[in-house]
Amino acid sequence: MPRATGTKRAILDATLELAATKGITGTTMDEVAERAGVAKGSLYYNFASKDRLFEELLQEGVGALADTLREARAGLHGRAALEALIRALLDRIASNTALAKLMAAEIFRTDRTWQKTLFALRHEALTVFAEAIAEAKPGSRDDGTCGLMASSVFGAVLLSGLEWLVFDPERHRDEVAAAILDSFSGGLLGD
């Protein structure tokens, strides 16, 4: 999905800012229009509903994340691929903390109209991790275990990344990545 520009971009950016601080439920279309500096009619011209607005916001953000992860893994295998994926995800969290907060808040919500879209995009991102885990852990079972492990690594990085940025921002990203990798030693990586 190409990145939105112009009025649409202003609306999406304003929505993300508001949702990161107020949550989706607490964010109104009036506030989005005001923050974006657009008329309410323009807001509804671009997005027919609040649900459609948030669906596109998450689709764009999580889709870009999946692309970033695929690029980070390109040509790498096993532990090197996992290290690159963890660093890339931490970099995305640092560069777009508002989206990371929104993802952390919404990932387990099942009552949203965009849940299927978010699930599909989440699956796309987790598949990149699962493939690297399967290579890093030879003989791993193909019974969904790698997918579950991918989910735990992704979740650990997402929450550790937010923890890092909120409570320990002076720490270098590589230290955070190393700590995450070390936490999986013996199990995931078999060190």
Side-chain angles (χ1 to χ4, degrees):
M1 165 187 244
R3 188 163 160 82
T5 58
T7 300
K8 204 169 192 179
R9 175 82 270 132
I11 293 168
L12 289 168
D13 290 346
T15 302
L16 183 57
E17 281 179 42
L18 289 164
T21 58
K22 300 179 78 166
I24 289 175
T25 304
T27 300
T28 68
M29 294 296 268
D30 287 336
E31 290 170 321
V32 170
E34 183 180 329
R35 175 75 56 99
V38 301
K40 202 167 173 186
S42 181
L43 174 61
Y44 281 105
Y45 173 79
N46 283 281
F47 300 98
S49 67
K50 182 177 173 180
D51 286 342
R52 183 65 196 119
L53 171 58
F54 277 100
E55 181 173 17
E56 188 162 331
L57 179 67
L58 290 167
Q59 189 173 23
E60 180 186 79
V62 180
L65 171 63
D67 291 342
T68 297
L69 293 175
R70 279 191 293 277
E71 290 170 14
R73 184 173 184 270
L76 299 174
H77 302 282
R79 184 181 177 103
L82 283 171
E83 289 173 358
L85 290 170
I86 289 169
R87 284 198 286 300
L89 182 51
L90 286 171
D91 288 343
R92 287 298 289 205
I93 292 166
S95 68
N96 197 342
T97 305
L99 179 64
K101 287 179 183 178
L102 185 59
M103 283 176 49
E106 287 297 311
I107 201 80
F108 297 110
R109 296 289 306 256
T110 58
D111 61 339
R112 304 290 197 189
T113 60
W114 57 80
Q115 191 60 34
K116 285 183 182 178
T117 300
L118 185 57
F119 179 79
L121 292 165
R122 177 188 161 276
H123 177 74
E124 194 178 326
L126 290 179
T127 297
V128 181
F129 272 96
E131 290 167 351
I133 288 167
E135 290 177 357
K137 193 166 174 70
S140 58
R141 299 175 299 206
D142 191 20
D143 62 357
T145 302
C146 286
L148 186 56
M149 293 169 99
S151 181
S152 67
V153 173
F154 185 88
V157 177
L158 178 62
L159 293 179
S160 295
L162 289 171
E163 174 91 9
W164 159 51
L165 294 172
V166 171
F167 298 111
D168 202 5
E170 68 282 346
R171 187 173 299 278
H172 192 273
R173 183 253 316 171
D174 288 343
E175 288 181 77
V176 179
I180 293 167
L181 279 165
D182 287 348
S183 72
F184 290 107
S185 291
L188 173 64
L189 301 176
D191 292 343

